Amino acid sequence: MSALAVGTVTHIFTKAPEGEVTFPKAPAQEARATFAGFAGDRQEDPVDADYGGHGGPLKALCVWSTEIVKDLEGQGHPMCEGSCGENLLISGLPWEKIVPGARIRIGDTLIEATAFAHQCYKQPQNFKKGNYMVANKDGMFRVYFAVLREGPIKVGDKAELHIGTIGAKPYLSNPYVVGRAAAKGKLYLDGKNVGSSSSGTIAAVAVIACCIGAIAGAGLTSALKK
């Protein structure tokens, strides 16, 4: 089945540095994506943190757009590739199309977007005057991915974006994720219908994905303790 777009893996970042800070991660030319992410990677906060946490199978990889990083650099923000904690940088994909439920196939490896990864107060050094909110906009978010099929990823590999093919389906249009009413555009959040609003839809997807992640993460943590 044909992809919506085909990009290229430009950077891979794997092992987190020693100490409390977990980024920037070590660059690599090749790594194996597993259900738990890249070997040696770790996160400062637990997967079941109150706000949704980091890591775990639903947030195994943090992926971002090469073009967005270069654009922010061009605006004078003191960042570089990998400085925001991303595991993969991919060029050539329409980033505004990458929402929870979209899938990217890289060789034999298959990953699915599960949630947006907002920039936060821990990264002021990457932005002018510490204003990390400039990157928290529709079409600019880093994105968390679950690994559906494990496999190797190399710099230079083609990255196929799928929406509506190879099983990919945006969560808001998938009744198995958000229910039939939400899938029909009748999603209500705090008493307001946000199903027809672009910004509302993005926010709703983020909330839904974070809730799913928190529930799954808590379940995984509980299972590991048994």
Side-chain angles (χ1 to χ4, degrees):
M1 297 183 181
S2 60
L4 177 69
V6 180
T8 303
V9 175
T10 62
H11 298 77
I12 298 173
F13 302 95
T14 55
K15 187 176 180 180
E18 299 295 333
E20 294 185 4
V21 179
T22 59
F23 57 88
K25 305 178 191 297
Q29 290 297 304
E30 179 180 357
R32 181 174 178 79
T34 73
F35 300 131
F38 288 145
D41 193 13
R42 62 184 177 81
Q43 288 74 37
E44 181 181 354
D45 296 326
V47 66
D48 59 345
D50 290 343
Y51 65 88
H54 296 299
L58 290 179
K59 299 179 180 179
L61 298 176
C62 182
V63 185
W64 210 9
S65 161
T66 306
E67 287 83 0
I68 291 175
V69 173
K70 289 185 178 299
D71 182 55
L72 289 169
E73 285 184 278
Q75 295 175 31
H77 294 285
M79 64 167 55
C80 63
E81 289 83 354
S83 64
C84 289
E86 62 271 23
N87 296 114
L88 290 177
L89 281 172
I90 299 176
S91 68
L93 295 183
W95 210 250
E96 72 282 358
K97 299 290 187 182
I98 300 179
V99 298
R103 293 182 177 183
I104 295 178
R105 181 163 58 189
I106 305 171
D108 293 330
T109 307
L110 182 62
I111 61 178
E112 179 173 291
T114 56
F116 297 112
H118 293 71
Q119 305 289 351
C120 73
Y121 69 93
K122 297 180 181 179
Q123 298 194 12
Q125 71 278 5
N126 289 321
F127 300 92
K128 290 189 298 184
K129 299 181 180 181
N131 183 20
Y132 56 85
M133 290 302 294
V134 298
N136 285 340
K137 299 176 182 178
D138 292 358
M140 291 185 67
F141 294 114
R142 297 170 300 161
V143 183
Y144 283 124
F145 280 79
V147 176
L148 302 185
R149 186 167 62 237
E150 297 181 327
I153 298 177
K154 300 178 182 179
V155 170
D157 279 350
K158 297 300 181 185
E160 301 177 357
L161 173 61
H162 289 269
I163 299 178
T165 51
I166 65 169
K169 193 170 188 178
Y171 288 173
L172 275 186
S173 61
N174 190 339
Y176 292 102
V177 177
V178 297
R180 295 186 182 279
K184 292 179 180 178
K186 298 179 180 179
L187 180 63
Y188 286 83
L189 195 63
D190 295 332
K192 298 179 181 180
N193 187 335
V194 297
S196 60
S197 167
S198 176
S199 60
T201 297
I202 292 294
V205 171
V207 170
I208 291 166
C210 284
C211 289
I212 293 170
I215 293 169
L220 177 63
T221 302
S222 177
L224 290 174
K225 289 180 179 178
K226 293 181 178 179

